[in-house]
Amino acid sequence: MKRSLAAVVTCLLAGAGVFGQGRGGAPQAPKTPKAIAPFDMTGYWVSVVTEDWRWRMFTPPKGDTTGVPLNPEGKKIAEAWDPAKDEAAGEQCKSYGAANIMRVPGRLHITWQDDQTIKLETDAGTQGRMFYFGAPEKQGEDWQGISKASWELTPALGGFTFGPNNATEGTGSLKVVTTKLKPGYLRKNGVPYSANTTVTEYYDLVKETNGDTYLVITTTVEDPTYLTEPFLTAAHFRKQADASGWNPTPCAAR
């Protein structure tokens, strides 16, 4: 009888003790998301802008919505962008929400807050994101919303194995799905996203032969209010040895 890929992966995880059952039937405590992480993304990272330079390194002119699949209502809002109005309303952070913050040039500091939660801080806009593998500790409705995290693991040859630090020796990605966002901008020049937006991100680690390590983030933004189709982007960060260059700065509307 043929078995589905999901069934095979489930069996492999069970055999590795992820679900609390070790070899020989001996009960074990379920392994935490931190323990089964296929890679270590903690530390300091600096953005490497290799795509969309004109929209990321500079504030685009009003009305420049090229590449974003906006519907007529979305274009109308973008063409009415007024940074002075955002400043007066105390909403300078509208382009620093979860749907765009990883595209803002700057640095990241990533840590495990506990065994079930990854904490990601940005020096650009001094934003803080929490990736919850368990139950979220907040209600959302702010710039960073509620982010649910999960590991999408790919078994190594022969299945999942665990090293001395309980890290998996297979490969995989961190999947983060964010909802309950406060409306904001996909670009600093007022390209909108609504409270109905869902942001899906995949975080992958890439190690180069020269020793450099990169964090690659692919993002899909879905917004039935202002987008006619999903908006797909990518961002890259290079691992730093320490906190050099870390420079928290407030949000800017212009």
PDB file of all heavy atoms in Angstrom, residues 65 67-75 77 99 185-186 191-194 196-199 219-233:
ATOM      1  N   THR A  65       3.502  52.871  -8.207  1.00  0.00           N
ATOM      2  CA  THR A  65       3.022  51.579  -7.682  1.00  0.00           C
ATOM      3  C   THR A  65       3.463  50.419  -8.574  1.00  0.00           C
ATOM      4  O   THR A  65       2.911  49.322  -8.484  1.00  0.00           O
ATOM      5  CB  THR A  65       1.489  51.585  -7.567  1.00  0.00           C
ATOM      6  OG1 THR A  65       0.924  51.740  -8.873  1.00  0.00           O
ATOM      7  CG2 THR A  65       1.010  52.717  -6.665  1.00  0.00           C
ATOM      8  N   GLY A  67       4.742  47.259 -10.192  1.00  0.00           N
ATOM      9  CA  GLY A  67       5.057  45.947  -9.666  1.00  0.00           C
ATOM     10  C   GLY A  67       4.125  45.448  -8.582  1.00  0.00           C
ATOM     11  O   GLY A  67       4.174  44.270  -8.227  1.00  0.00           O
ATOM     12  N   VAL A  68       3.283  46.320  -8.038  1.00  0.00           N
ATOM     13  CA  VAL A  68       2.338  45.910  -6.999  1.00  0.00           C
ATOM     14  C   VAL A  68       0.965  45.737  -7.644  1.00  0.00           C
ATOM     15  O   VAL A  68       0.456  46.674  -8.269  1.00  0.00           O
ATOM     16  CB  VAL A  68       2.251  46.953  -5.869  1.00  0.00           C
ATOM     17  CG1 VAL A  68       1.328  46.445  -4.761  1.00  0.00           C
ATOM     18  CG2 VAL A  68       3.632  47.257  -5.311  1.00  0.00           C
ATOM     19  N   PRO A  69       0.329  44.571  -7.514  1.00  0.00           N
ATOM     20  CA  PRO A  69      -0.953  44.311  -8.178  1.00  0.00           C
ATOM     21  C   PRO A  69      -2.139  44.963  -7.461  1.00  0.00           C
ATOM     22  O   PRO A  69      -3.014  44.303  -6.907  1.00  0.00           O
ATOM     23  CB  PRO A  69      -1.056  42.785  -8.156  1.00  0.00           C
ATOM     24  CG  PRO A  69      -0.332  42.397  -6.909  1.00  0.00           C
ATOM     25  CD  PRO A  69       0.829  43.358  -6.812  1.00  0.00           C
ATOM     26  N   LEU A  70      -2.158  46.289  -7.479  1.00  0.00           N
ATOM     27  CA  LEU A  70      -3.217  47.035  -6.802  1.00  0.00           C
ATOM     28  C   LEU A  70      -4.487  47.082  -7.631  1.00  0.00           C
ATOM     29  O   LEU A  70      -4.443  47.166  -8.868  1.00  0.00           O
ATOM     30  CB  LEU A  70      -2.766  48.472  -6.532  1.00  0.00           C
ATOM     31  CG  LEU A  70      -1.722  48.712  -5.440  1.00  0.00           C
ATOM     32  CD1 LEU A  70      -1.324  50.180  -5.430  1.00  0.00           C
ATOM     33  CD2 LEU A  70      -2.260  48.303  -4.071  1.00  0.00           C
ATOM     34  N   ASN A  71      -5.625  47.068  -6.961  1.00  0.00           N
ATOM     35  CA  ASN A  71      -6.891  47.314  -7.642  1.00  0.00           C
ATOM     36  C   ASN A  71      -7.138  48.828  -7.690  1.00  0.00           C
ATOM     37  O   ASN A  71      -6.333  49.600  -7.141  1.00  0.00           O
ATOM     38  CB  ASN A  71      -8.036  46.559  -6.945  1.00  0.00           C
ATOM     39  CG  ASN A  71      -8.232  46.991  -5.493  1.00  0.00           C
ATOM     40  OD1 ASN A  71      -7.834  48.092  -5.085  1.00  0.00           O
ATOM     41  ND2 ASN A  71      -8.853  46.122  -4.710  1.00  0.00           N
ATOM     42  N   PRO A  72      -8.179  49.285  -8.349  1.00  0.00           N
ATOM     43  CA  PRO A  72      -8.420  50.738  -8.467  1.00  0.00           C
ATOM     44  C   PRO A  72      -8.488  51.451  -7.120  1.00  0.00           C
ATOM     45  O   PRO A  72      -7.973  52.571  -6.986  1.00  0.00           O
ATOM     46  CB  PRO A  72      -9.749  50.808  -9.216  1.00  0.00           C
ATOM     47  CG  PRO A  72      -9.747  49.581 -10.060  1.00  0.00           C
ATOM     48  CD  PRO A  72      -9.119  48.524  -9.207  1.00  0.00           C
ATOM     49  N   GLU A  73      -9.106  50.846  -6.123  1.00  0.00           N
ATOM     50  CA  GLU A  73      -9.195  51.492  -4.806  1.00  0.00           C
ATOM     51  C   GLU A  73      -7.814  51.631  -4.175  1.00  0.00           C
ATOM     52  O   GLU A  73      -7.498  52.660  -3.570  1.00  0.00           O
ATOM     53  CB  GLU A  73     -10.107  50.682  -3.886  1.00  0.00           C
ATOM     54  CG  GLU A  73     -10.301  51.298  -2.503  1.00  0.00           C
ATOM     55  CD  GLU A  73     -10.963  52.670  -2.536  1.00  0.00           C
ATOM     56  OE1 GLU A  73     -11.657  52.986  -3.523  1.00  0.00           O
ATOM     57  OE2 GLU A  73     -10.781  53.426  -1.558  1.00  0.00           O
ATOM     58  N   GLY A  74      -6.983  50.605  -4.325  1.00  0.00           N
ATOM     59  CA  GLY A  74      -5.635  50.673  -3.793  1.00  0.00           C
ATOM     60  C   GLY A  74      -4.815  51.761  -4.465  1.00  0.00           C
ATOM     61  O   GLY A  74      -4.062  52.500  -3.816  1.00  0.00           O
ATOM     62  N   LYS A  75      -4.946  51.893  -5.787  1.00  0.00           N
ATOM     63  CA  LYS A  75      -4.226  52.932  -6.513  1.00  0.00           C
ATOM     64  C   LYS A  75      -4.698  54.324  -6.094  1.00  0.00           C
ATOM     65  O   LYS A  75      -3.898  55.261  -5.974  1.00  0.00           O
ATOM     66  CB  LYS A  75      -4.423  52.740  -8.017  1.00  0.00           C
ATOM     67  CG  LYS A  75      -3.716  51.517  -8.580  1.00  0.00           C
ATOM     68  CD  LYS A  75      -3.944  51.380 -10.080  1.00  0.00           C
ATOM     69  CE  LYS A  75      -3.232  50.145 -10.633  1.00  0.00           C
ATOM     70  NZ  LYS A  75      -3.443  49.987 -12.086  1.00  0.00           N
ATOM     71  N   ILE A  77      -5.790  55.235  -3.167  1.00  0.00           N
ATOM     72  CA  ILE A  77      -5.204  55.555  -1.871  1.00  0.00           C
ATOM     73  C   ILE A  77      -3.728  55.911  -2.018  1.00  0.00           C
ATOM     74  O   ILE A  77      -3.239  56.869  -1.407  1.00  0.00           O
ATOM     75  CB  ILE A  77      -5.388  54.365  -0.907  1.00  0.00           C
ATOM     76  CG1 ILE A  77      -6.869  54.203  -0.562  1.00  0.00           C
ATOM     77  CG2 ILE A  77      -4.559  54.554   0.362  1.00  0.00           C
ATOM     78  CD1 ILE A  77      -7.164  52.981   0.269  1.00  0.00           C
ATOM     79  N   ALA A  99       4.041  43.460   6.839  1.00  0.00           N
ATOM     80  CA  ALA A  99       3.960  43.215   5.399  1.00  0.00           C
ATOM     81  C   ALA A  99       5.112  43.842   4.634  1.00  0.00           C
ATOM     82  O   ALA A  99       5.315  43.534   3.453  1.00  0.00           O
ATOM     83  CB  ALA A  99       2.634  43.744   4.849  1.00  0.00           C
ATOM     84  N   TYR A 185       1.517  50.294   4.906  1.00  0.00           N
ATOM     85  CA  TYR A 185       2.004  50.499   3.541  1.00  0.00           C
ATOM     86  C   TYR A 185       2.953  49.374   3.117  1.00  0.00           C
ATOM     87  O   TYR A 185       3.822  48.961   3.888  1.00  0.00           O
ATOM     88  CB  TYR A 185       2.765  51.823   3.432  1.00  0.00           C
ATOM     89  CG  TYR A 185       1.940  53.065   3.679  1.00  0.00           C
ATOM     90  CD1 TYR A 185       2.541  54.221   4.175  1.00  0.00           C
ATOM     91  CD2 TYR A 185       0.570  53.102   3.408  1.00  0.00           C
ATOM     92  CE1 TYR A 185       1.818  55.377   4.382  1.00  0.00           C
ATOM     93  CE2 TYR A 185      -0.172  54.265   3.626  1.00  0.00           C
ATOM     94  CZ  TYR A 185       0.461  55.388   4.122  1.00  0.00           C
ATOM     95  OH  TYR A 185      -0.263  56.546   4.340  1.00  0.00           O
ATOM     96  N   LEU A 186       2.812  48.944   1.870  1.00  0.00           N
ATOM     97  CA  LEU A 186       3.747  47.984   1.276  1.00  0.00           C
ATOM     98  C   LEU A 186       5.011  48.675   0.792  1.00  0.00           C
ATOM     99  O   LEU A 186       6.035  48.030   0.591  1.00  0.00           O
ATOM    100  CB  LEU A 186       3.078  47.257   0.105  1.00  0.00           C
ATOM    101  CG  LEU A 186       1.933  46.315   0.479  1.00  0.00           C
ATOM    102  CD1 LEU A 186       1.219  45.829  -0.784  1.00  0.00           C
ATOM    103  CD2 LEU A 186       2.469  45.137   1.277  1.00  0.00           C
ATOM    104  N   VAL A 191       1.645  52.930  -0.723  1.00  0.00           N
ATOM    105  CA  VAL A 191       0.994  51.767  -1.344  1.00  0.00           C
ATOM    106  C   VAL A 191       0.350  50.953  -0.213  1.00  0.00           C
ATOM    107  O   VAL A 191       1.055  50.422   0.644  1.00  0.00           O
ATOM    108  CB  VAL A 191       2.009  50.908  -2.121  1.00  0.00           C
ATOM    109  CG1 VAL A 191       1.325  49.676  -2.697  1.00  0.00           C
ATOM    110  CG2 VAL A 191       2.653  51.732  -3.229  1.00  0.00           C
ATOM    111  N   PRO A 192      -0.980  50.833  -0.184  1.00  0.00           N
ATOM    112  CA  PRO A 192      -1.648  50.331   1.021  1.00  0.00           C
ATOM    113  C   PRO A 192      -1.799  48.817   1.127  1.00  0.00           C
ATOM    114  O   PRO A 192      -1.817  48.096   0.134  1.00  0.00           O
ATOM    115  CB  PRO A 192      -3.033  50.974   0.907  1.00  0.00           C
ATOM    116  CG  PRO A 192      -3.295  50.954  -0.579  1.00  0.00           C
ATOM    117  CD  PRO A 192      -1.949  51.271  -1.219  1.00  0.00           C
ATOM    118  N   TYR A 193      -1.904  48.358   2.371  1.00  0.00           N
ATOM    119  CA  TYR A 193      -2.464  47.033   2.658  1.00  0.00           C
ATOM    120  C   TYR A 193      -3.454  47.222   3.803  1.00  0.00           C
ATOM    121  O   TYR A 193      -3.322  48.150   4.609  1.00  0.00           O
ATOM    122  CB  TYR A 193      -1.392  45.992   2.984  1.00  0.00           C
ATOM    123  CG  TYR A 193      -0.587  46.223   4.236  1.00  0.00           C
ATOM    124  CD1 TYR A 193      -1.048  45.804   5.493  1.00  0.00           C
ATOM    125  CD2 TYR A 193       0.667  46.826   4.178  1.00  0.00           C
ATOM    126  CE1 TYR A 193      -0.292  45.991   6.628  1.00  0.00           C
ATOM    127  CE2 TYR A 193       1.429  47.017   5.317  1.00  0.00           C
ATOM    128  CZ  TYR A 193       0.945  46.601   6.535  1.00  0.00           C
ATOM    129  OH  TYR A 193       1.704  46.798   7.671  1.00  0.00           O
ATOM    130  N   SER A 194      -4.447  46.351   3.867  1.00  0.00           N
ATOM    131  CA  SER A 194      -5.552  46.525   4.802  1.00  0.00           C
ATOM    132  C   SER A 194      -5.441  45.603   6.016  1.00  0.00           C
ATOM    133  O   SER A 194      -4.538  44.767   6.111  1.00  0.00           O
ATOM    134  CB  SER A 194      -6.881  46.254   4.089  1.00  0.00           C
ATOM    135  OG  SER A 194      -7.058  44.852   3.912  1.00  0.00           O
ATOM    136  N   ASN A 196      -7.267  43.212   6.510  1.00  0.00           N
ATOM    137  CA  ASN A 196      -7.620  41.862   6.055  1.00  0.00           C
ATOM    138  C   ASN A 196      -6.432  41.105   5.476  1.00  0.00           C
ATOM    139  O   ASN A 196      -6.587  39.993   4.975  1.00  0.00           O
ATOM    140  CB  ASN A 196      -8.714  41.946   4.981  1.00  0.00           C
ATOM    141  CG  ASN A 196      -9.996  42.525   5.524  1.00  0.00           C
ATOM    142  OD1 ASN A 196     -10.408  42.205   6.629  1.00  0.00           O
ATOM    143  ND2 ASN A 196     -10.638  43.395   4.747  1.00  0.00           N
ATOM    144  N   THR A 197      -5.262  41.691   5.553  1.00  0.00           N
ATOM    145  CA  THR A 197      -4.065  41.122   4.925  1.00  0.00           C
ATOM    146  C   THR A 197      -3.544  39.895   5.676  1.00  0.00           C
ATOM    147  O   THR A 197      -3.550  39.838   6.908  1.00  0.00           O
ATOM    148  CB  THR A 197      -2.959  42.190   4.870  1.00  0.00           C
ATOM    149  OG1 THR A 197      -3.369  43.238   3.981  1.00  0.00           O
ATOM    150  CG2 THR A 197      -1.643  41.617   4.389  1.00  0.00           C
ATOM    151  N   THR A 198      -3.061  38.925   4.892  1.00  0.00           N
ATOM    152  CA  THR A 198      -2.333  37.777   5.427  1.00  0.00           C
ATOM    153  C   THR A 198      -0.936  37.784   4.813  1.00  0.00           C
ATOM    154  O   THR A 198      -0.788  37.866   3.591  1.00  0.00           O
ATOM    155  CB  THR A 198      -3.032  36.449   5.080  1.00  0.00           C
ATOM    156  OG1 THR A 198      -4.318  36.420   5.704  1.00  0.00           O
ATOM    157  CG2 THR A 198      -2.214  35.260   5.577  1.00  0.00           C
ATOM    158  N   VAL A 199       0.077  37.720   5.660  1.00  0.00           N
ATOM    159  CA  VAL A 199       1.475  37.702   5.218  1.00  0.00           C
ATOM    160  C   VAL A 199       2.059  36.323   5.516  1.00  0.00           C
ATOM    161  O   VAL A 199       2.062  35.884   6.666  1.00  0.00           O
ATOM    162  CB  VAL A 199       2.302  38.782   5.930  1.00  0.00           C
ATOM    163  CG1 VAL A 199       3.758  38.750   5.448  1.00  0.00           C
ATOM    164  CG2 VAL A 199       1.703  40.167   5.710  1.00  0.00           C
ATOM    165  N   THR A 219       8.384  36.272   0.741  1.00  0.00           N
ATOM    166  CA  THR A 219       7.159  36.773   1.351  1.00  0.00           C
ATOM    167  C   THR A 219       6.028  36.831   0.332  1.00  0.00           C
ATOM    168  O   THR A 219       6.226  37.283  -0.796  1.00  0.00           O
ATOM    169  CB  THR A 219       7.384  38.188   1.927  1.00  0.00           C
ATOM    170  OG1 THR A 219       8.445  38.147   2.884  1.00  0.00           O
ATOM    171  CG2 THR A 219       6.125  38.718   2.601  1.00  0.00           C
ATOM    172  N   THR A 220       4.858  36.390   0.750  1.00  0.00           N
ATOM    173  CA  THR A 220       3.642  36.518  -0.045  1.00  0.00           C
ATOM    174  C   THR A 220       2.627  37.324   0.759  1.00  0.00           C
ATOM    175  O   THR A 220       2.295  36.951   1.891  1.00  0.00           O
ATOM    176  CB  THR A 220       3.031  35.143  -0.379  1.00  0.00           C
ATOM    177  OG1 THR A 220       3.987  34.368  -1.104  1.00  0.00           O
ATOM    178  CG2 THR A 220       1.770  35.307  -1.225  1.00  0.00           C
ATOM    179  N   VAL A 221       2.188  38.437   0.177  1.00  0.00           N
ATOM    180  CA  VAL A 221       1.174  39.280   0.816  1.00  0.00           C
ATOM    181  C   VAL A 221      -0.133  39.099   0.061  1.00  0.00           C
ATOM    182  O   VAL A 221      -0.194  39.313  -1.148  1.00  0.00           O
ATOM    183  CB  VAL A 221       1.588  40.767   0.808  1.00  0.00           C
ATOM    184  CG1 VAL A 221       0.480  41.626   1.423  1.00  0.00           C
ATOM    185  CG2 VAL A 221       2.903  40.959   1.553  1.00  0.00           C
ATOM    186  N   GLU A 222      -1.168  38.699   0.792  1.00  0.00           N
ATOM    187  CA  GLU A 222      -2.496  38.535   0.206  1.00  0.00           C
ATOM    188  C   GLU A 222      -3.458  39.500   0.887  1.00  0.00           C
ATOM    189  O   GLU A 222      -3.587  39.485   2.115  1.00  0.00           O
ATOM    190  CB  GLU A 222      -2.975  37.096   0.374  1.00  0.00           C
ATOM    191  CG  GLU A 222      -2.090  36.086  -0.351  1.00  0.00           C
ATOM    192  CD  GLU A 222      -2.470  34.654  -0.058  1.00  0.00           C
ATOM    193  OE1 GLU A 222      -2.026  34.139   0.985  1.00  0.00           O
ATOM    194  OE2 GLU A 222      -3.209  34.066  -0.866  1.00  0.00           O
ATOM    195  N   ASP A 223      -4.106  40.343   0.093  1.00  0.00           N
ATOM    196  CA  ASP A 223      -5.017  41.352   0.630  1.00  0.00           C
ATOM    197  C   ASP A 223      -6.224  41.487  -0.290  1.00  0.00           C
ATOM    198  O   ASP A 223      -6.136  42.119  -1.350  1.00  0.00           O
ATOM    199  CB  ASP A 223      -4.291  42.697   0.753  1.00  0.00           C
ATOM    200  CG  ASP A 223      -5.184  43.794   1.326  1.00  0.00           C
ATOM    201  OD1 ASP A 223      -6.295  43.480   1.781  1.00  0.00           O
ATOM    202  OD2 ASP A 223      -4.754  44.959   1.307  1.00  0.00           O
ATOM    203  N   PRO A 224      -7.360  40.915   0.088  1.00  0.00           N
ATOM    204  CA  PRO A 224      -8.541  40.988  -0.762  1.00  0.00           C
ATOM    205  C   PRO A 224      -9.108  42.395  -0.896  1.00  0.00           C
ATOM    206  O   PRO A 224      -9.918  42.660  -1.793  1.00  0.00           O
ATOM    207  CB  PRO A 224      -9.539  40.059  -0.057  1.00  0.00           C
ATOM    208  CG  PRO A 224      -9.109  40.079   1.383  1.00  0.00           C
ATOM    209  CD  PRO A 224      -7.617  40.171   1.333  1.00  0.00           C
ATOM    210  N   THR A 225      -8.667  43.302  -0.032  1.00  0.00           N
ATOM    211  CA  THR A 225      -9.192  44.669  -0.070  1.00  0.00           C
ATOM    212  C   THR A 225      -8.522  45.514  -1.145  1.00  0.00           C
ATOM    213  O   THR A 225      -9.199  46.250  -1.874  1.00  0.00           O
ATOM    214  CB  THR A 225      -9.022  45.347   1.308  1.00  0.00           C
ATOM    215  OG1 THR A 225      -9.671  44.565   2.305  1.00  0.00           O
ATOM    216  CG2 THR A 225      -9.625  46.763   1.295  1.00  0.00           C
ATOM    217  N   TYR A 226      -7.183  45.411  -1.279  1.00  0.00           N
ATOM    218  CA  TYR A 226      -6.471  46.305  -2.191  1.00  0.00           C
ATOM    219  C   TYR A 226      -5.667  45.608  -3.284  1.00  0.00           C
ATOM    220  O   TYR A 226      -5.189  46.273  -4.212  1.00  0.00           O
ATOM    221  CB  TYR A 226      -5.525  47.213  -1.400  1.00  0.00           C
ATOM    222  CG  TYR A 226      -6.221  48.138  -0.436  1.00  0.00           C
ATOM    223  CD1 TYR A 226      -5.811  48.227   0.895  1.00  0.00           C
ATOM    224  CD2 TYR A 226      -7.298  48.924  -0.853  1.00  0.00           C
ATOM    225  CE1 TYR A 226      -6.449  49.064   1.790  1.00  0.00           C
ATOM    226  CE2 TYR A 226      -7.943  49.769   0.044  1.00  0.00           C
ATOM    227  CZ  TYR A 226      -7.519  49.836   1.357  1.00  0.00           C
ATOM    228  OH  TYR A 226      -8.163  50.669   2.242  1.00  0.00           O
ATOM    229  N   LEU A 227      -5.476  44.304  -3.206  1.00  0.00           N
ATOM    230  CA  LEU A 227      -4.657  43.604  -4.191  1.00  0.00           C
ATOM    231  C   LEU A 227      -5.514  42.709  -5.080  1.00  0.00           C
ATOM    232  O   LEU A 227      -6.463  42.079  -4.609  1.00  0.00           O
ATOM    233  CB  LEU A 227      -3.586  42.755  -3.504  1.00  0.00           C
ATOM    234  CG  LEU A 227      -2.546  43.488  -2.651  1.00  0.00           C
ATOM    235  CD1 LEU A 227      -1.562  42.488  -2.043  1.00  0.00           C
ATOM    236  CD2 LEU A 227      -1.804  44.542  -3.457  1.00  0.00           C
ATOM    237  N   THR A 228      -5.151  42.634  -6.347  1.00  0.00           N
ATOM    238  CA  THR A 228      -5.879  41.766  -7.283  1.00  0.00           C
ATOM    239  C   THR A 228      -5.320  40.346  -7.298  1.00  0.00           C
ATOM    240  O   THR A 228      -5.962  39.425  -7.803  1.00  0.00           O
ATOM    241  CB  THR A 228      -5.808  42.339  -8.708  1.00  0.00           C
ATOM    242  OG1 THR A 228      -4.431  42.424  -9.108  1.00  0.00           O
ATOM    243  CG2 THR A 228      -6.446  43.725  -8.777  1.00  0.00           C
ATOM    244  N   GLU A 229      -4.124  40.169  -6.764  1.00  0.00           N
ATOM    245  CA  GLU A 229      -3.467  38.862  -6.686  1.00  0.00           C
ATOM    246  C   GLU A 229      -2.377  38.943  -5.630  1.00  0.00           C
ATOM    247  O   GLU A 229      -2.038  40.043  -5.160  1.00  0.00           O
ATOM    248  CB  GLU A 229      -2.869  38.457  -8.036  1.00  0.00           C
ATOM    249  CG  GLU A 229      -1.812  39.418  -8.546  1.00  0.00           C
ATOM    250  CD  GLU A 229      -1.323  39.048  -9.943  1.00  0.00           C
ATOM    251  OE1 GLU A 229      -2.088  39.247 -10.902  1.00  0.00           O
ATOM    252  OE2 GLU A 229      -0.186  38.552 -10.034  1.00  0.00           O
ATOM    253  N   PRO A 230      -1.805  37.810  -5.199  1.00  0.00           N
ATOM    254  CA  PRO A 230      -0.742  37.856  -4.194  1.00  0.00           C
ATOM    255  C   PRO A 230       0.463  38.665  -4.675  1.00  0.00           C
ATOM    256  O   PRO A 230       0.843  38.629  -5.842  1.00  0.00           O
ATOM    257  CB  PRO A 230      -0.384  36.381  -4.002  1.00  0.00           C
ATOM    258  CG  PRO A 230      -1.625  35.641  -4.378  1.00  0.00           C
ATOM    259  CD  PRO A 230      -2.215  36.423  -5.520  1.00  0.00           C
ATOM    260  N   PHE A 231       1.080  39.393  -3.737  1.00  0.00           N
ATOM    261  CA  PHE A 231       2.258  40.197  -4.008  1.00  0.00           C
ATOM    262  C   PHE A 231       3.472  39.454  -3.447  1.00  0.00           C
ATOM    263  O   PHE A 231       3.576  39.219  -2.243  1.00  0.00           O
ATOM    264  CB  PHE A 231       2.108  41.563  -3.342  1.00  0.00           C
ATOM    265  CG  PHE A 231       3.281  42.489  -3.501  1.00  0.00           C
ATOM    266  CD1 PHE A 231       3.867  42.693  -4.748  1.00  0.00           C
ATOM    267  CD2 PHE A 231       3.795  43.166  -2.402  1.00  0.00           C
ATOM    268  CE1 PHE A 231       4.948  43.556  -4.898  1.00  0.00           C
ATOM    269  CE2 PHE A 231       4.870  44.030  -2.547  1.00  0.00           C
ATOM    270  CZ  PHE A 231       5.450  44.224  -3.792  1.00  0.00           C
ATOM    271  N   LEU A 232       4.385  39.050  -4.337  1.00  0.00           N
ATOM    272  CA  LEU A 232       5.523  38.207  -3.961  1.00  0.00           C
ATOM    273  C   LEU A 232       6.818  39.014  -3.951  1.00  0.00           C
ATOM    274  O   LEU A 232       7.115  39.739  -4.911  1.00  0.00           O
ATOM    275  CB  LEU A 232       5.665  37.033  -4.934  1.00  0.00           C
ATOM    276  CG  LEU A 232       4.395  36.224  -5.226  1.00  0.00           C
ATOM    277  CD1 LEU A 232       4.696  35.122  -6.232  1.00  0.00           C
ATOM    278  CD2 LEU A 232       3.831  35.638  -3.950  1.00  0.00           C
ATOM    279  N   THR A 233       7.607  38.867  -2.878  1.00  0.00           N
ATOM    280  CA  THR A 233       8.893  39.564  -2.784  1.00  0.00           C
ATOM    281  C   THR A 233       9.909  38.660  -2.091  1.00  0.00           C
ATOM    282  O   THR A 233       9.570  37.602  -1.553  1.00  0.00           O
ATOM    283  CB  THR A 233       8.771  40.875  -1.987  1.00  0.00           C
ATOM    284  OG1 THR A 233       8.299  40.577  -0.668  1.00  0.00           O
ATOM    285  CG2 THR A 233       7.822  41.851  -2.663  1.00  0.00           C
TER     286      THR A 233
END
